Amino acid sequence: MVLIHWGVLWLLLPLASWAQKLPTRDEELFQMQIQDKAQFHDSSMLPDGAEISSYLFRDTSKRYFFVVEEDNTPLSVTVTPCDAPLEWKLSLQELPEEVSGESSGDPEPLEQQKQQIIHEDSTELFSYKGNDVESFLSSSSPSGLYQLELLSTEKDTHFKVYATTTPESDQPYPELPYDPRVDVTSLGHTTVTLVWKPSPTASLLKQPIQYCVVINREHNFKSLCAVEAKMTADDAFMMAPKPGLDFSPFDFAHFGFPSENGPGRERGFSGKPVPKMGRHVYSKAKVDIQKICIGNKNIYTVSDLKPDTQYYFDVFVVKVPSNTSTAYIGTFARTKEEARQKTVDLKDGKVTDVFLKRKGTKFLRFAPVSSHQKVAFFVHSCLDMIQIQVRRDGKLLLSQNVEGVHQFQLRGKPKAKYLLKLKGNKKGASMLKILATTRLHKQSFPSLPEDTRIKAFDKLRTCSSATVAWLGTQDRNKFCIYRKEVDANYNENQKKREQNQCLGPETRKKSEKVLCKYFHSQNLQKAVTTETIKGLQPGRSYLIDVYVIGHGGHSVKYLSKVVKTRKFC
């Protein structure tokens, strides 16, 4: 037995650390050893009772060794592939009896011992190929040196290994319930509610755990390690490991370091040359993965999903603070299809009234019957700001917020079809008037200046009158002025909240009407008209409204203005 220990020690010590001690569960320093995991990265030894993470280059096998000191010892080895399938096998290595070097009195060189042991026969105990988390478990194993060999034929990849001689007391991974399925209990257009049975690690053993929910649109995951590898992968290539941290010194040849067998070449344990490897480049598309850790609740509602879209849902129970995890059996579901919106057809030159619910959406279609050089859209938002998008044959032409009255002129195209999308705001419902036309010279909607404000002249105020002005256009339009007495503290916010700007003069009281008149000017710089409103009371506030009425009888109200007469004259 002593000969075996010396042979293993000479075989497995790294070149730069001759005094490194082999980790066993019988040593008092075990806990301190596993906390310093860097020593296992640079060693081919597996620690007893601790999970390690490592890295594989494609088509290059890696070997680890594990010592079982006594016969009839339980043994468990668990391998977790992260982002690629693995091929791995566990063997019991037969050791020669003469490895101690007693005949010469001096130990043989490390390389000579390595080659001597490698060429000895071994017994294969277990093998696996795939991307599942798989374990070898034996309740009674013989003493000796166990070899774990791993290979990735698909790509460079990460993996995790856990080996122990005390599997019953260790319980390194959280347990799953008798029914480990994730169920969908509620399905909506943008939400999915998931539920699963609690882990016995928490419900029976009372050990601290948390559940992590993973959502993506590609496939289910078999380990949290695979999820994290997918989330952190670079867009252009897999990040290679850092020397001394993620792989053994024998892997330096992959980055151009000379190996023990000569420049640019390396020999594996089989003695056959291994081709020089470089950094493999992979084209990786961005993957939309969401990982949410929710504590110990076993029900969760996923929100903000897209309608009529298939999603994959996985749940992992994570042991705290070791961070080891076990996967439930994931599920998938397709969110409900959004109710199809009815599309309203717009007629050329006709005004259409539209009502929008709070945060609601409506679609309108305009298909001119004849060829056209230009098309105009008049949008009058009666209450609050709305958003409008206009597409021509699927191509987005404009996207803009509209408050009040706006006119959009777009270049026409033969046989073109226009689709308008209107979206309400969060404050409340919206009302609109919309006109689409290809005959810009003949409109039901009145033409408007760019500025629809009413100006009041402070110096021309009297105790019984107020003088106001507004802009006109080159088209001859009819303007009607109305006044209404309001409280002294009446402000713009009240005016905006209480007044529907699409309501025409027909809704006003006859007593509020001041006059109507026609006005236009070919010179836009002179297209200004004034009016003095008489018969007012001293020291009172009045709301002044100006309506412009088009040829088809449709009206648009200018922005209201509050004026106050002088108290003393």
Side-chain angles (χ1 to χ4, degrees):
M1 196 66 179
V2 174
L3 293 178
I4 293 177
H5 279 297
W6 274 103
V8 173
L9 180 62
W10 281 97
L11 167 67
L12 300 172
L13 287 179
L15 294 175
S17 180
W18 293 85
Q20 180 175 313
K21 195 172 184 65
L22 294 181
T24 70
R25 291 306 289 268
D26 296 331
E27 299 177 3
E28 294 180 358
L29 296 179
F30 168 71
Q31 289 298 328
M32 185 173 66
Q33 288 175 340
I34 66 171
Q35 290 175 4
D36 184 16
K37 294 185 179 180
Q39 65 172 312
F40 299 121
H41 283 290
D42 284 342
S43 170
S44 297
M45 282 300 296
L46 289 175
D48 190 341
E51 186 180 66
I52 68 162
S53 299
S54 193
Y55 191 87
L56 272 177
F57 289 97
R58 189 184 69 178
D59 295 332
T60 303
S61 63
K62 182 174 283 191
R63 295 178 178 88
Y64 289 92
F65 296 90
F66 187 78
V67 177
V68 174
E69 298 182 344
E70 299 179 0
D71 288 332
N72 303 317
T73 299
L75 175 62
S76 174
V77 178
T78 301
V79 177
T80 303
C82 288
D83 51 351
L86 295 181
E87 298 178 24
W88 64 273
K89 65 179 180 179
L90 183 68
S91 305
L92 177 59
Q93 188 76 52
E94 297 291 339
L95 296 177
E97 298 182 358
E98 296 85 8
V99 297
S100 64
E102 289 182 351
S103 59
S104 63
D106 297 320
E108 297 175 355
L110 178 61
E111 178 60 27
Q112 186 175 344
Q113 295 182 54
K114 187 201 311 183
Q115 295 298 331
Q116 185 177 3
I117 292 176
I118 289 170
H119 288 299
E120 294 295 327
D121 292 334
S122 61
T123 303
E124 184 176 310
L125 304 176
F126 182 81
S127 65
Y128 174 76
K129 182 178 180 180
N131 58 358
D132 282 329
V133 180
E134 192 60 63
S135 298
F136 166 80
L137 180 62
S138 173
S139 59
S140 179
S141 298
S143 61
L145 180 66
Y146 289 78
Q147 175 184 285
L148 174 66
E149 184 174 3
L150 304 102
L151 177 68
S152 172
T153 59
E154 186 175 301
K155 63 178 181 178
D156 300 350
T157 184
H158 292 85
F159 65 92
K160 293 184 178 183
V161 178
Y162 185 93
T164 180
T165 55
T166 54
E168 290 188 4
S169 60
D170 278 7
Q171 295 182 337
Y173 297 99
E175 294 184 36
L176 292 176
Y178 67 92
D179 181 3
R181 293 174 299 179
V182 178
D183 294 319
V184 175
T185 60
S186 177
L187 192 64
H189 297 98
T190 60
T191 61
V192 172
T193 299
L194 307 171
V195 67
W196 56 93
K197 292 179 173 58
S199 165
T201 303
S203 58
L204 298 179
L205 303 179
K206 305 301 181 183
Q207 295 181 7
I209 59 98
Q210 69 170 342
Y211 296 105
C212 293
V213 180
V214 174
I215 309 105
N216 82 103
R217 291 162 61 179
E218 282 199 347
H219 55 75
N220 289 108
F221 289 91
K222 297 182 179 180
S223 70
L224 197 55
C225 172
V227 173
E228 291 165 348
K230 197 81 168 178
M231 292 177 70
T232 57
D234 190 275
D235 289 340
F237 50 78
M238 290 293 295
M239 295 300 293
K242 297 178 181 179
L245 292 180
D246 297 326
F247 59 98
S248 73
F250 301 106
D251 288 326
F252 281 3
H254 297 308
F255 289 92
F257 290 89
S259 69
E260 301 168 28
N261 301 306
R265 293 187 68 79
E266 179 186 4
R267 290 187 178 273
F269 282 94
S270 63
K272 297 180 181 179
V274 177
K276 182 178 178 180
M277 300 292 292
R279 194 185 201 189
H280 290 280
V281 176
Y282 301 96
S283 176
K284 295 184 70 63
K286 289 186 177 180
V287 180
D288 185 14
I289 301 179
Q290 190 178 11
K291 172 189 165 188
I292 310 163
C293 294
I294 61 171
N296 57 9
K297 298 183 298 181
N298 64 319
I299 184 170
Y300 184 72
T301 298
V302 185
S303 56
D304 297 326
L305 302 176
K306 292 183 178 180
D308 193 28
T309 304
Q310 182 160 301
Y311 289 90
Y312 295 85
F313 305 96
D314 291 290
V315 174
F316 300 90
V317 53
V318 183
K319 209 169 185 179
V320 180
S322 66
N323 213 35
T324 55
S325 60
T326 307
Y328 280 71
I329 298 176
T331 188
F332 61 90
R334 178 174 289 274
T335 50
K336 288 184 177 179
E337 185 178 358
E338 200 170 31
R340 292 189 177 274
Q341 290 279 355
K342 182 180 178 181
T343 303
V344 178
D345 287 318
L346 297 175
K347 295 184 178 180
D348 198 334
K350 300 293 183 180
V351 176
T352 301
D353 294 315
V354 179
F355 176 78
L356 276 176
K357 295 180 180 179
R358 176 178 173 271
K359 297 173 65 175
T361 303
K362 283 205 173 177
F363 293 91
L364 299 91
R365 180 174 49 225
F366 180 52
V369 294
S370 59
S371 61
H372 54 284
Q373 293 183 340
K374 288 185 178 181
V375 62
F377 295 96
F378 292 85
V379 181
H380 189 184
S381 178
C382 308
L383 298 172
D384 287 306
M385 182 184 296
I386 60 100
Q387 184 187 63
I388 180 172
Q389 288 184 350
V390 179
R391 295 179 183 271
R392 184 182 61 203
D393 298 332
K395 182 180 179 181
L396 183 66
L397 300 182
L398 70 88
S399 179
Q400 189 172 325
N401 292 329
V402 173
E403 187 173 16
V405 180
H406 275 260
Q407 176 182 340
F408 305 101
Q409 282 195 21
L410 304 174
R411 183 175 296 176
K413 195 175 181 181
K415 299 181 180 180
K417 291 181 174 59
Y418 301 84
L419 182 67
L420 284 70
K421 179 182 178 181
L422 306 175
K423 189 173 183 180
N425 59 44
K426 299 178 181 179
K427 295 179 181 179
S430 302
M431 294 179 64
L432 303 96
K433 288 182 178 290
I434 293 185
L435 169 72
T437 183
T438 57
R439 301 186 292 272
L440 276 63
H441 62 282
K442 187 179 180 182
Q443 306 172 17
S444 298
F445 241 68
S447 59
L448 292 170
E450 292 184 2
D451 190 347
T452 58
R453 292 176 298 175
I454 300 172
K455 179 177 174 58
F457 297 96
D458 184 66
K459 292 183 178 181
L460 299 180
R461 284 188 306 144
T462 69
C463 292
S464 61
S465 67
T467 301
V468 295
W470 62 92
L471 297 177
T473 65
Q474 294 176 329
D475 297 326
R476 187 171 184 267
N477 286 320
K478 180 181 179 181
F479 296 90
C480 292
I481 309 169
Y482 285 77
R483 61 169 173 80
K484 176 185 177 182
E485 186 175 342
V486 294
D487 294 336
N489 57 356
Y490 188 89
N491 55 45
E492 294 294 321
N493 289 333
Q494 284 180 288
K495 174 186 64 181
K496 189 175 181 180
R497 183 172 61 250
E498 295 174 0
Q499 193 165 278
N500 182 346
Q501 296 183 7
C502 287
L503 295 178
E506 66 277 3
T507 63
R508 303 294 295 264
K509 296 179 181 178
K510 289 184 178 181
S511 59
E512 295 175 354
K513 183 176 179 181
V514 177
L515 59 85
C516 292
K517 67 176 184 179
Y518 288 89
F519 168 75
H520 77 288
S521 175
Q522 295 300 322
N523 186 349
L524 288 178
Q525 294 182 348
K526 296 182 179 180
V528 180
T529 184
T530 62
E531 193 64 42
T532 298
I533 303 168
K534 300 178 180 178
L536 308 179
Q537 297 298 317
R540 302 289 180 88
S541 295
Y542 292 88
L543 184 70
I544 308 299
D545 286 313
V546 172
Y547 296 88
V548 55
I549 303 170
H551 299 293
H554 299 286
S555 62
V556 175
K557 185 169 68 67
Y558 279 50
L559 297 178
S560 300
K561 181 69 176 179
V562 176
V563 297
K564 188 175 182 179
T565 56
R566 296 186 184 277
K567 194 172 185 179
F568 302 103
C569 298

